[in-house]
Amino acid sequence: MTARSGSGRREARLRVARRRGPAGSAGRPRVGLALAGGGPLGAVYELGTLAALSEALAGIDFNALDVYVGVSAGSFIAAGLANGVTPGEMCRMFVESDAHEQPFDPSVLLRPALREYARRIAAVPPVLLDVAWSYLSNPFAYGTLAPLARLGRAIPTGIFDNQAIHRFLGRAFAEPGRTNDFRKLAHELYLIATDLDSGASVQFGAPGHDDVPISLAVQASAALPGVFPPVEIGGRCYVDGALKKTLHASVALARGAGLVLGINPLVPFDAHLPRPTGGRPEKLVEGGLPAVLAQTFRAIIHSRMQVGMRRYETEYPDSDIVLFEPNRNDAEMFFTNIFSYASRRRLAEHAYQKTRKELLERRHALAPVLARHGIAIRVDVLTDSHRHLVKRHAPHKAPIAAKAAADRLTHCLDDLARWVALAPAARRPG
């Protein structure tokens, strides 16, 4: 679990006890992954983070975890991982679309919801007749605008069509070795949506909700109200799973996960903090309504997630939770235009390199926690300055060999100094 300092830099605050729940494969503690939402922007950030983690952590296979939990955009990634699609392949699919045989273009999510428009337009005449009849039959029983409020029933419930999600994933999961059926997966997968009529969270993949196609469950989990129409499944309508909780890590914890790795791509942006690249941004109000709404949404969901994380400490005191998220001065994450191809590539690389950097900086705090679950941090991978996630088409200056060697030596000396400092305590009689 992580906390933040006043400077915006994340520091580790990790529990040291281990929950002794059901064991995973080979008797090791069960490991879960919880992925929050964040739209296409969040999905790309999560892919960059996962790619860095899969390279730098030894003893863990992100396609063979015990429990996967996905919310909204995170449901895309969780469903792919549970189906054996590697973070690198998903990055090529969603980020470097031109290099994959099954590319996904986020711009398809901007197609108008014509079917929803047509259905609402067809409802206009009877609604108008109802309004007219109510007013004319008793004009003094209503205010001037009260009958017109009924016209709200003719307003579309979503602007854009989200059927492309179901169709794309349905094709992808029909490939050999994959499945669109929760019950046929080798590992547990739970995709969270919200029942519109009751406001209750629903775990697709759990008993009673595991007969729904995975692709349709993803569509329901990512149906952000007002942006996409609700998704009807079994006669009930479902919307975005983030309406109730942000991360839903408790789903994995309740199923015996001793370690949960969480990724939350959306945090409020703090314009008062200096940017890592230098300079200070203008006030967010200068960005107009989009910036104001984005900041408001991020602040609400992040505050709610922090409440949930504190509750996990008391409800699951013997479990470890390690959370990865952007820093609050991460302008790259806040201001990126995700529908730009170049922006997607840049954001994925940004998340990849940032995660590598933080793993290296926090390795002394993280290593003991991860070691309890059979996971080790590969410092040799993290200090390899030649590693990149996306192809670099533009020529760039190769790093100087002497500087790379000096960096590796610095990290080795840092490790040695820490072990020397610990040695007297280890020799002290207990």
Side-chain angles (χ1 to χ4, degrees), residues 71-138:
V71 184
S72 193
S75 64
F76 268 89
I77 315 302
L81 291 171
N83 253 294
V85 187
T86 66
E89 183 176 357
M90 276 193 281
C91 185
R92 292 189 294 274
M93 186 183 297
F94 290 101
V95 178
E96 298 187 281
S97 303
D98 58 351
H100 198 273
E101 57 186 17
Q102 285 187 320
F104 182 84
D105 184 356
S107 65
V108 302
L109 301 177
L110 296 180
R111 294 173 181 171
L114 297 179
R115 183 177 300 178
E116 172 67 8
Y117 295 169
R119 189 165 74 91
R120 296 296 168 174
I121 290 173
V124 169
V127 169
L128 287 176
L129 286 174
D130 180 52
V131 169
W133 174 255
S134 298
Y135 186 77
L136 293 175
S137 62
N138 195 350

Side-chain angles (χ1 to χ4, degrees), residues 33 42 48 85 90 164 244 268 286 336 355 378 381 384 419:
L33 177 69
V85 187
M90 276 193 281
K244 293 285 288 185
E286 301 300 330
T336 291
T355 304
R378 296 187 58 188
V381 170
D384 183 357
W419 287 116

